[in-house]
Amino acid sequence: MKIISKAIMLVSLAFIGQSLKAQENHGNITSVKVEESEGKMPAIRLINNPDGTCSFEKGYIPTLKHASTTTFWSSNKTEDWEKNAHPAPRRQYVVTLKGKIRFKVSDGSTFLIKPGVILLAEDLKGKGHSWQMVHTKSWERLYIPLQEGADDLFVASYDSKK
């Protein structure tokens, strides 16, 4: 119960006022910088391409907007299949509480997720994505599935493509 209370508190705090600013692209790894800004939470959305590959776009989730969800769960375990390329099992937010994760999408580009940046997994078909932990041994996260057909609330940044 204590971990759930901590997770809810962290998610609540996270949804109050941060925005996304892209840092310079180092090699082919995109990193995002989390800075305080009223009304926005930085986010990266995984999307399917017509050719069956997956790519991503940078943007934000507006704060204080209610997403259509009915459940969530936490995880700090990983299975081998999760680290191999796979599509998302459902449309969902993945909120990192602890850890730094490098995602690789099937178009070859990569990006980093850290606490304060919401991942929106919507790459439901094709080759999908893979990930690995960076300078950490565990990844603590919340999975928050979206209801079927619900608005994901994602707003793409002007420079959303890598």
Side-chain angles (χ1 to χ4, degrees):
M1 189 65 162
K2 193 173 186 181
I3 185 127
I4 300 230
S5 296
K6 177 183 172 187
I8 291 170
M9 181 183 74
L10 287 171
V11 170
S12 297
L13 289 173
F15 273 102
I16 300 174
Q18 293 182 347
S19 77
L20 171 69
K21 290 200 176 178
Q23 292 179 342
E24 291 298 315
N25 200 1
H26 301 286
N28 68 348
I29 299 174
T30 297
S31 180
V32 293
K33 184 176 180 182
V34 179
E35 292 185 3
E36 290 187 22
S37 176
E38 221 172 291
K40 299 177 184 178
M41 279 296 302
I44 295 179
R45 177 167 58 179
L46 297 171
I47 55 175
N48 288 118
N49 298 319
D51 66 358
T53 61
C54 165
S55 60
F56 69 92
E57 56 187 346
K58 298 177 287 184
Y60 64 89
I61 306 290
T63 61
L64 303 178
K65 297 250 182 185
H66 292 245
S68 294
T69 66
T70 57
T71 189
F72 78 94
W73 61 92
S74 61
S75 180
N76 61 3
K77 306 259 187 244
T78 56
E79 297 180 33
D80 286 337
W81 72 265
E82 292 177 292
K83 295 179 186 177
N84 297 320
H86 63 280
R90 69 195 68 76
R91 290 176 63 231
Q92 63 188 356
Y93 297 111
V94 181
V95 180
T96 296
L97 303 174
K98 182 179 176 187
K100 191 177 202 181
I101 310 302
R102 178 180 295 117
F103 278 80
K104 182 176 182 180
V105 291
S106 56
D107 75 359
S109 53
T110 62
F111 61 91
L112 295 172
I113 288 286
K114 57 187 175 184
V117 179
I118 297 170
L119 177 69
L120 176 55
E122 293 190 327
D123 59 329
L124 304 177
K125 302 174 189 168
K127 299 173 185 174
H129 61 276
S130 60
W131 56 266
Q132 67 183 60
M133 291 180 257
V134 178
H135 306 299
T136 188
K137 294 181 187 222
S138 68
W139 179 25
E140 294 178 11
R141 61 211 179 272
L142 295 177
Y143 290 101
I144 308 170
L146 291 161
Q147 289 182 349
E148 186 72 31
D151 183 357
D152 63 18
L153 305 178
F154 182 84
V155 178
S157 295
Y158 178 74
D159 63 340
S160 72
K161 294 294 177 186
K162 299 139 293 270

